[in-house]
Amino acid sequence: MLKRIVYGVCGAAIVGLGIFSIYAWHPAIDPVVPTQTDYSPQVIEQGKILAAAGYCSTCHTPPGGTAYAGNYEMHTDFGTIYSSNITPDVETGIGGWSQAAFARAMRTGVSRDGHHLLPAFPFEHFNKMTDDDINAIYAYIMTSVPAVNQVKKDNGIPFPLNIRWFQAGWKLLFADTQAFEVNSKQSAEWNRGAYLAEGIAHCGACHTPRNALGGEKYDQMYQGAAIDGWIAPSLTSTSTSPIPWRAQDFYEYLTTGNSPYHGSAAGPMAPVMHKGLSALPDSDIEAISGYFAEIARTNNTDDPDSSSTLQAAIAAQHQQPDQRIDEGARLYATACQACHYNSDQLVKGRPLITIGSATHLNDPTNLINVILDGVRSDQGISGVVMPGFRDALSDEDITAIAAYLRQAAGENTWPKLQQQVGEIRNQPRFEH
Ligand code: HEC
Ligand code: HEC
Ligand code: HEC
């Protein structure tokens, strides 16, 4: 009897494994010599804009490297991953890929030769795109990106996670394979914003928390997550920002790199907006902003300038704490205040740190990053710089300033603040 059950269970497992391997197996698509080169200039231009909005070159180009030739290094919880060469080089890039092979990779994360790609490549978002949009990106890469011969480095993912076949199981469990669905209850503009945000611009790849195996938690969409040594804040009603985000605040942030009521795009968000979203027409950024304003459910359209929250924060700047007692306040006054003081109203480019997101997040990571490395001219507001204090301030100094700002912002102290300052100082810096 027992034997029969054992045989039964084993049999079921073998059948299951067999079915899984049929599911997991994808054929190679034969290499081709792409014959079509006569795409219309409009299609190529559309592909160029979409490739920018999908940050293809951000992830497929290492700092200082050749565009699209790959080997950009991504540090994940599972090990180091290198991006592929997606220039039209026949030997080492995608020069021998048919349009069908490219579309399959973009929709299902399967390479031309049939091997599964890791979800560091955000195919579950690109899957939301229309055929026309995917084909336009293909047309742009094949006709306009110079071919570069460069072999992809092997990923540093330990066994058994490096078995590509397992990715099929991951996809089965976690990947959103649904096509984009138009929400008929919403306007055409909202749907355009949703289409771009969920698809090509893959905002959720960074802003949605992930489970232990790296799958996006779709029931917590856009509720904030750690990414590349930074915190991508919640973009929903769970945002800790004291001044609610309105559509025009999203728009200002996404077009200028800064919202006076929230702060600057100084980390991974900087290339997203400066090198990515900036390629999209204004109407598309408006659509994305409207989509997120609806998600953030901020029906509030009050002018933040006259809000009591902002007035109180500005007034608080004038009441100096006793600097003989508070070391953080003293350091802040000497190192920061000259640039961060607003007399009676907010001035763009002089962030009021006590209302900024970096100070109000439950995690001090973004504030520590900005104090250590500042804001380069190609980050935040274009051409505007904040110096880094990596060499000028010790871990104790940075801890004191951050603790002072946190308390001045009316928030609870961050536990393990000094430990985090030390850890973040020694982390590899986010480059881009
Ligand atoms: C967040 C980083 C990231 C972004 C953004 C990104 N990619 Fe990738 N891509 C990767 C990584 C990493 C791989 C390799 C994954 C692996 O080793 O399994 C990859 C692989 C690919 C492949 C498979 C190549 C092959 O030889 O198998 C294609 C095609 C591709 N990307 C195209 C694109 C396009 C087009 C865009 C922009 C619309 C894009 N990628 C944006 C990270 C990214
Ligand atoms: C020389 C002027 C200057 C000094 C000194 C300075 N900052 Fe800044 N800071 C800026 C500017 C300008 C920006 C906005 C940069 C941009 O958006 O391009 C900024 C931005 C910020 C931000 C917002 C970034 C974000 O992620 O939202 C924080 C936080 C910040 N500074 C903290 C500090 C602290 C703390 C100090 C002192 C240790 C300091 N700053 C010293 C000029 C300065
Ligand atoms: C590569 C990861 C990444 C992608 C993709 C990304 N973000 Fe971000 N985002 C971040 C990080 C990290 C921050 C924190 C600030 C920084 O990095 O400069 C941020 C900050 C923001 C902020 C400011 C939030 C606050 O409370 O201060 C907004 C708004 C935002 N992102 C919107 C978007 C939208 C809209 C998209 C898609 C169009 C998007 N992000 C795509 C990583 C990302």
Side-chain angles (χ1 to χ4, degrees), residues 242-244 261 300 302-314 346 355:
I243 297 186
Y261 313 114
N300 165 18
D302 294 355
D303 179 8
D305 281 331
S306 47
S307 74
S308 54
T309 311
L310 184 64
Q311 289 309 318
I314 290 179
L346 267 195
I355 56 155

Side-chain angles (χ1 to χ4, degrees), residues 142-219:
M142 289 309 200
T143 57
S144 313
V145 171
V148 177
N149 191 282
Q150 176 176 290
V151 176
K152 178 187 187 303
K153 290 186 194 166
D154 286 335
N155 293 336
I157 304 227
F159 180 83
L161 292 175
N162 62 349
I163 302 177
R164 294 218 175 237
W165 196 68
F166 282 163
Q167 282 308 312
W170 187 95
K171 289 176 189 174
L172 194 60
L173 292 172
F174 305 125
D176 172 7
T177 51
Q178 300 286 314
F180 177 74
E181 268 174 56
V182 172
N183 182 337
S184 55
K185 293 197 193 91
Q186 299 286 355
S187 66
E189 191 189 27
W190 184 96
N191 276 293
R192 175 73 184 158
Y195 171 75
L196 292 166
E198 290 173 23
I200 187 70
H202 58 275
C203 313
C206 295
H207 286 273
T208 299
R210 291 174 187 267
N211 63 30
L213 288 171
E216 282 180 43
K217 296 181 182 169
Y218 297 114
D219 58 339

Side-chain angles (χ1 to χ4, degrees), residues 189-370:
E189 191 189 27
W190 184 96
N191 276 293
R192 175 73 184 158
Y195 171 75
L196 292 166
E198 290 173 23
I200 187 70
H202 58 275
C203 313
C206 295
H207 286 273
T208 299
R210 291 174 187 267
N211 63 30
L213 288 171
E216 282 180 43
K217 296 181 182 169
Y218 297 114
D219 58 339
Q220 295 172 33
M221 216 162 140
Y222 304 128
Q223 290 187 15
I227 177 90
D228 288 340
W230 285 71
I231 303 293
S234 168
L235 304 176
T236 73
S237 57
T238 64
S239 164
T240 50
S241 175
I243 297 186
W245 284 87
R246 303 166 302 163
Q248 59 262 54
D249 301 321
F250 283 118
Y251 179 82
E252 182 171 13
Y253 185 92
L254 297 175
T255 49
T256 69
N258 167 275
S259 156
Y261 313 114
H262 306 96
S264 294
M269 193 58 202
V272 165
M273 59 93 21
H274 284 301
K275 295 185 187 163
L277 302 177
S278 58
L280 289 171
D282 231 33
S283 57
D284 279 347
I285 307 291
E286 274 169 13
I288 294 174
S289 304
Y291 168 69
F292 279 103
E294 206 268 330
I295 287 177
R297 296 222 175 76
T298 46
N299 307 323
N300 165 18
T301 46
D302 294 355
D303 179 8
D305 281 331
S306 47
S307 74
S308 54
T309 311
L310 184 64
Q311 289 309 318
I314 290 179
Q317 293 182 112
H318 308 304
Q319 305 143 11
Q320 285 304 323
D322 190 339
Q323 297 182 6
R324 289 164 306 179
I325 301 170
D326 192 325
E327 173 71 356
R330 189 184 64 75
L331 285 164
Y332 176 75
T334 43
C336 323
Q337 205 172 22
C339 298
H340 283 283
Y341 186 79
N342 293 267
S343 55
D344 53 4
Q345 76 187 86
L346 267 195
V347 178
K348 180 128 178 154
R350 303 176 70 85
L352 179 53
I353 306 174
T354 50
I355 56 155
S357 307
T359 317
H360 286 273
L361 287 170
N362 298 328
D363 182 305
T365 297
N366 290 5
L367 182 58
I368 296 169
N369 276 324
V370 171

